[in-house]
Amino acid sequence: MSAERLRVFFALWPDAATAERLEALAGQVHAQCGGRRMRRDTLHMTLCFIGEIGLGSLAALEAAVATVKAPAFRIDIDRAGWWPHKHIVWAGCGAGARDVAALAETLRAAVSAQGFKIEKRPFQPHVTLLRKGRCPPVTDRIEAVSWPVREWVLVASERDHAGSRYRRLGCWPLGAVAK
Ligand code: 2AM
């Protein structure tokens, strides 16, 4: 990709304590499934994947979400899953799933209203824990990791010899929303 273009997406990024617990979870499933563990600093939940944009479109993308308001919430990461076709072992949530989906939908609507093309596949909230996993985790139930969600971020994905690196481009707080 040229330096004039960025591969971007909106995501939830865990605070340090949550990231530490998610990393421990990745370690547990790695013992069962092998593959490549995601590094602590790369663990996240994608809300809305945009893909490649020109640097010149970044301001418009940020402006598209500037007025989005949503309340803070909490999610319980309490299940593990497996996508055999992608060899991905992921963690998902029970409590909070509706709040995540609502925020993702709000962002999708805001950016597509400004002409950005977004992924049409149904939203599947997940944190990728392992890539190139060999088998599913032994159980889909895991001890819940409680994740307080107070903001969402815009991130650029860059590749180097160590895999994907993520650079934070913007951050928007969640908070009380007037009824
Ligand atoms: P994954 O972890 O399941 O691969 C950066 O690549 C982030 O965007 C990752 O969370 C990745 O999900 C997600 N992603 C990559 N390509 C995508 C696509 N076409 N649609 C939705 N999400 C995508």
Side-chain angles (χ1 to χ4, degrees):
M1 197 186 331
S2 87
E4 302 296 304
R5 298 188 71 74
L6 292 171
R7 186 171 188 268
V8 295
F9 61 100
F10 291 100
L12 301 180
W13 219 267
D15 58 277
T18 306
E20 191 176 336
R21 297 184 66 195
L22 292 173
E23 185 186 38
L25 191 56
Q28 282 168 31
V29 290
H30 183 254
Q32 303 162 15
C33 313
R36 184 162 58 79
R37 292 167 63 157
M38 298 296 99
R39 294 189 316 272
R40 187 189 303 192
D41 60 311
T42 66
L43 292 164
H44 65 273
M45 182 179 282
T46 295
L47 292 169
C48 176
F49 184 79
I50 311 286
E52 258 195 56
I53 60 166
L55 268 184
S57 301
L58 195 52
L61 181 61
E62 292 182 347
V65 299
T67 57
V68 168
K69 297 268 178 287
F73 55 92
R74 180 173 287 278
I75 51 186
D76 281 344
I77 298 290
D78 62 1
R79 57 204 62 192
W82 156 250
W83 285 326
H85 53 296
K86 290 168 110 184
H87 302 279
I88 282 181
V89 178
W90 50 269
C93 55
R98 274 198 206 169
D99 296 302
V100 181
L103 177 57
E105 185 47 45
T106 303
L107 292 174
R108 286 164 81 116
V111 300
S112 36
Q114 294 307 313
F116 288 94
K117 297 231 177 330
I118 51 164
E119 180 61 36
K120 296 260 186 325
R121 281 179 288 178
F123 177 59
Q124 290 184 298
H126 69 282
V127 178
T128 296
L129 298 175
L130 303 177
R131 295 192 188 278
K132 302 192 174 166
R134 287 191 300 264
C135 58
V138 292
T139 169
D140 60 359
R141 289 287 145 183
I142 53 180
E143 196 184 329
V145 173
S146 180
W147 176 349
V149 180
R150 303 192 188 95
E151 63 187 22
W152 85 87
V153 295
L154 176 63
V155 178
S157 162
E158 294 160 348
R159 291 199 69 79
D160 67 12
H161 62 280
S164 288
R165 290 207 176 275
Y166 299 118
R167 183 158 56 92
R168 189 182 281 223
L169 302 173
C171 173
W172 291 263
L174 294 165
V177 175
K179 300 248 180 226

